[in-house]
Structure formats: structure tokens, C-alpha cells
Amino acid sequence: MCDYTNKKINFANSKIQAKITKRISLSNQNQVYQCINAINLNQYYCLKIITSRNDDKRTLGIINTEIYLLLNLKTAQNLVHLIDYFTLDNGTCTTCFILMEYCQNGTLEDK
């Protein structure tokens, strides 16, 4: 699995260039990173990167459902909000980049 630390990723819809500063978590198909806005250095984000084989319809369905829910629950007060996303398909694998707001006070697990 590729390590994206110190890479910059451009999100076209929101015109945000996210500089990845550190990895927060790693699993078989998911990576979560803390990012900073390369222009506005006071703005932090959370970037979730999910990679799936194109023949893994279950995981691709989960990715699509997560994006659909985050897009449709933008007005919910107590949920992390989706800022932007895009997918890359190289023919055998699909990688989804989901940019979300960063919660600096930790997770519910930390409480």
C-alpha cells in the first residue's frame, strides 16, 4: 500500500490543495491522514483513501454508500462533513480520496 505522507493532492471541485502531514490509521484497504491546506496553513482536514480491486463489488458498494451518505447528510450537526472527493480507476483497482473536516479533539473512542 502506498504511503501518501508529504504528498499534495488537488481537489478540483473545492479548489483545495491538501498537503498530507501524517498518517492517522491504516488497514487492509483504508488509510486515513491528517492534511493541511497548502494555501491556508490554519485549515486542517482528514483524508480517507480507500483502494479496492474493481472486481470487489462489495467494497466498491461500501465506498459508494459512504460517499452518498456523507453528501446527503451535510446538514447534520454531529457528523464529520465531507468537503470533496474523487476516484481514480487504473483498470484493475479503484482508489477513492475522501476529504473531510478534521476533528482535532480525537475520536469518540478517545473519550
Side-chain angles (χ1 to χ4, degrees), residues 69-88:
L69 291 172
L70 288 169
L71 284 171
N72 287 291
L73 296 173
K74 278 189 170 186
T75 58
Q77 288 183 343
N78 297 317
L79 294 178
V80 174
H81 293 112
L82 175 99
I83 297 168
D84 203 347
Y85 75 95
F86 68 92
T87 58
L88 296 176

Side-chain angles (χ1 to χ4, degrees), residues 11 13-14 16 43-46 71 74 81-85 98-102:
F11 289 86
N13 291 332
S14 60
I16 291 173
Q43 183 66 52
Y44 287 88
Y45 305 105
C46 178
L71 284 171
K74 278 189 170 186
H81 293 112
L82 175 99
I83 297 168
D84 203 347
Y85 75 95
I98 303 173
L99 190 68
M100 299 176 281
E101 65 181 329
Y102 180 70

Side-chain angles (χ1 to χ4, degrees), residues 19-71:
K19 181 177 186 306
I20 299 172
T21 55
K22 70 177 180 180
R23 188 176 351 205
I24 298 170
S25 72
L26 173 68
S27 70
N28 288 342
Q29 295 174 316
N30 300 324
Q31 299 181 71
V32 179
Y33 293 91
Q34 178 189 44
C35 303
I36 191 165
N37 187 318
I39 307 301
N40 176 2
L41 299 177
N42 294 324
Q43 183 66 52
Y44 287 88
Y45 305 105
C46 178
L47 175 62
K48 184 174 185 180
I49 302 172
I50 309 166
T51 302
S52 174
R53 292 184 332 272
N54 287 346
D55 62 353
D56 184 353
K57 302 301 183 199
R58 181 181 170 277
T59 300
L60 292 172
I62 291 169
I63 294 169
N64 289 330
T65 299
E66 180 171 355
I67 291 169
Y68 174 82
L69 291 172
L70 288 169
L71 284 171

